[in-house]
Amino acid sequence: MQHHSQTSAQPTAAPATHVVPLSVYFVIFGTLLLLTGTTVWVAFYDLGPLNNVVALGIAATKATLVLLYFMHLRYSASLNRMAVVGALAFVVLMIGFTLSDTITRPILLPAAPQFSLPSTSK
Amino acid sequence: MSDTATHVEHHFDSAEQQQEAATLGMWVFLVNEIMFFGGLFLVYVVYRTLYPAAFVAASHHLDITLGAINTTVLIASSLTMALSVHSAQLGKRRLLILFLVLTIVLGAIFLGIKGVEYAHKFHEGHVPGPYFTWEGPNGGQAQLFFGLYFAMTGMHALHMIIGIGILTWLIVESARGTYGPDYFTPVEMTGLYWHFVDIIWIFLFPLLYLIGRH
């Protein structure tokens, strides 16, 4: 991480950021549009339990492309990548542990009070 | 001595170190945002697993065409934002301002379409609260879906409004010639924020609009 030369007291000429070629931006943009079309198209087919997997898989792919190329994470310091991966891991933990309760409650405790909402309004 | 020196705060060794610090700081802020929206997504996931049928029925009242158009508009605004950063890196001031303006225009189009959708919900009585109306079973559960719809898209829209404000400030600064190859950190950090808001919508679109369409 220590790129700065100790012998030079002068500031470096420019921040060492990667200038991404324009073609990369346009290819990513085209891919994102293609994936948007795909997710709408595939939503009209019943894939059974795979419906959510496909929809979220496409969304995750799109998000990854935005993170890596539009947000320069691919060219960025690995510390920044760690921050994002850490955040996503905690979101997965938060949702996973909560679901482990709400999904298994009717199975493990069938006699316990379940979630309920009024079935009709008005 | 280059112009860079004027942009480097005294507590940084170099422009490069300052830029790295700013980038990490921005990512830590976005981590905070991920956890914030993560809470909303958690509530959505829990209630959708509890009431899948009501969520599908309620989701059918959302306009899939407007949702898809808005997704495209937002992705296009991410492209123009990326091109803004690119122009700043190369010191092309006119292009920088052009792409920043285009990003605001696309963001405003998104919010306009969102406004049309919201107005439609008010007319149909699908806004949660005392005037919520629902033809069919499980009205309370459907109301929960629309509550989440307004909370999630509303928070997303609020982020976009704030983003448009920051972009406006960037245009003013760009016109003054603040940014160039030596210093464009604010443009790049705003880009990170704008792309993050795009990513949130990338997940909101299939989760709210595209469930149970077959």
Side-chain angles (χ1 to χ4, degrees):
Chain A
M1 300 300 280
Q2 293 294 323
H3 301 300
H4 185 59
S5 166
Q6 307 219 330
T7 54
S8 165
Q10 290 174 339
T12 46
T17 44
H18 189 89
V19 179
V20 182
L22 279 181
S23 57
V24 170
Y25 288 136
F26 285 109
V27 168
I28 297 301
F29 174 64
T31 311
L32 289 173
L33 291 186
L34 208 65
L35 287 171
T36 302
T38 309
T39 198
V40 172
W41 171 73
V42 83
F44 290 95
Y45 292 89
D46 190 3
L47 309 174
L50 286 180
N51 283 329
N52 291 325
V53 177
V54 170
L56 286 176
I58 292 174
T61 308
K62 289 166 73 181
T64 308
L65 289 175
V66 173
L67 281 166
L68 286 179
Y69 295 97
F70 281 178
M71 300 173 88
H72 298 167
L73 217 47
R74 190 183 165 181
Y75 318 100
S76 185
S78 47
L79 192 56
N80 300 329
R81 281 194 289 274
M82 260 173 59
V84 177
V85 171
L88 295 178
F90 277 101
V91 169
V92 169
L93 280 181
M94 177 168 68
I95 293 177
F97 275 114
T98 309
L99 283 183
S100 75
D101 171 17
T102 58
I103 285 183
T104 56
R105 208 178 287 190
I107 304 164
L108 299 176
L109 300 166
Q114 304 297 324
F115 287 95
S116 65
L117 278 174
S119 58
T120 52
S121 78
K122 304 197 157 184
Chain B
M1 185 64 70
S2 69
D3 290 336
T4 311
T6 58
H7 298 295
V8 180
E9 299 291 337
H10 69 274
H11 47 277
F12 290 112
D13 283 342
S14 63
E16 184 188 345
Q17 191 195 44
Q18 176 173 269
Q19 219 263 347
E20 280 178 359
T23 307
L24 179 61
M26 192 65 202
W27 276 112
V28 170
F29 168 69
L30 293 182
V31 162
N32 169 53
E33 290 275 78
I34 289 171
M35 297 315 293
F36 168 72
F37 276 99
L40 288 170
F41 280 105
L42 168 66
V43 177
Y44 170 92
V45 170
V46 167
Y47 280 116
R48 189 175 153 192
T49 53
L50 286 173
Y51 313 125
F55 268 50
V56 166
S59 167
H60 283 194
H61 288 269
L62 300 186
D63 192 324
I64 207 165
T65 311
L66 290 181
I69 290 172
N70 253 354
T71 307
T72 309
V73 168
L74 208 53
I75 290 173
S77 83
S78 254
L79 175 69
T80 56
M81 188 68 236
L83 294 177
S84 302
V85 176
H86 187 84
S87 307
Q89 284 178 322
L90 299 181
K92 295 177 177 171
R93 196 167 75 178
R94 280 187 172 176
L95 275 177
L96 166 61
I97 293 171
L98 171 71
F99 286 128
L100 288 174
V101 170
L102 278 176
T103 308
I104 288 182
V105 169
L106 289 166
I109 291 173
F110 179 96
L111 289 173
I113 293 176
K114 202 81 230 137
V116 169
E117 289 188 77
Y118 276 10
H120 196 59
K121 297 284 166 298
F122 275 89
H123 287 298
E124 288 193 326
H126 287 153
V127 180
Y131 301 106
F132 184 78
T133 48
W134 186 251
E135 323 265 317
N138 304 322
Q141 300 172 7
Q143 189 168 199
L144 204 50
F145 173 86
F146 284 107
L148 280 165
Y149 167 80
F150 276 103
M152 296 173 98
T153 60
M155 279 319 300
H156 178 264
L158 179 64
H159 275 77
M160 291 198 60
I161 292 167
I162 293 169
I164 287 175
I166 300 171
L167 285 165
T168 308
W169 166 68
L170 282 184
I171 290 173
V172 173
E173 286 294 322
S174 302
R176 287 182 185 156
T178 307
Y179 309 121
D182 289 340
Y183 178 71
F184 51 85
T185 306
V187 185
E188 198 172 15
M189 298 307 106
T190 308
L192 291 181
Y193 175 82
W194 193 262
H195 297 311
F196 165 79
V197 175
D198 186 17
I199 287 177
I200 293 298
W201 183 260
I202 282 173
F203 282 97
L204 287 182
F205 175 56
L207 289 178
L208 294 174
Y209 289 76
L210 298 179
I211 59 178
R213 289 287 176 171
H214 44 267

